[in-house]
Amino acid sequence: MFHITTARSLGLLVSVSAATMWAFVGGPTAAAAPPASCPAPGAAAVRAGDAGAACSATSTAGGAAAAYGIDGTAGAEAAATSLSLAIAQNGGTATSTSQFLSGPAAIAVGPGARATTTGVRPGLSIGIAGPGASVTVTGTSAPTCTGGPGFAGDFQTLQGCVSMR
């Protein structure tokens, strides 16, 4: 019984993630500033952009971080043997930080959207925030989704949250 429930939960998690992402990305955007791209594989530190579209990514040897600001602000930090991704669009702010064997991703789309993900244990996690939402994944406690449409799934704690407001 546990196996069936886990499989259904995983299927629901993937379905909701995909639907939410398409809804956020497919929405209209205002005349945006040029996108800021900050890939940082291996031992690297990258900063790009201006006040309208900015990003920063830092990683140590053996890690990889990437941040993309598309009329938003994104920041990613990765330790060795970890991955970190942050994407911010249309006024959003996304930050992601990873440690050993973790892979967090933060996506914030829309005015006032804030997504913060932290990888502290082995496992993947994702936080997606829409306009006005705040989504936080700590890796040690249940994720939180408040203020607007948002979603989080955390395989570090096997917990998640959804906000439809």
Side-chain angles (χ1 to χ4, degrees), residues 89-124:
Q89 182 179 8
N90 196 21
T93 301
T95 53
S96 178
T97 305
S98 63
Q99 295 178 14
F100 183 70
L101 294 179
S102 66
I107 301 168
V109 181
R114 298 189 66 78
T116 304
T117 57
T118 305
V120 295
R121 300 182 200 171
L124 302 174

Side-chain angles (χ1 to χ4, degrees), residues 39-163:
V46 179
R47 287 187 176 272
D50 56 28
C55 65
S56 66
T58 305
S59 63
T60 60
Y68 301 93
I70 306 157
D71 196 25
T73 304
E77 294 182 20
T81 65
S82 71
L83 304 170
S84 185
L85 173 66
I87 302 171
Q89 182 179 8
N90 196 21
T93 301
T95 53
S96 178
T97 305
S98 63
Q99 295 178 14
F100 183 70
L101 294 179
S102 66
I107 301 168
V109 181
R114 298 189 66 78
T116 304
T117 57
T118 305
V120 295
R121 300 182 200 171
L124 302 174
S125 59
I126 187 167
I128 303 171
S134 179
V135 175
T136 304
V137 176
T138 65
T140 58
S141 59
T144 59
C145 301
T146 59
F151 166 81
D154 185 8
F155 283 106
Q156 301 169 97
T157 62
L158 298 177
Q159 297 178 326
C161 62
V162 175
S163 173

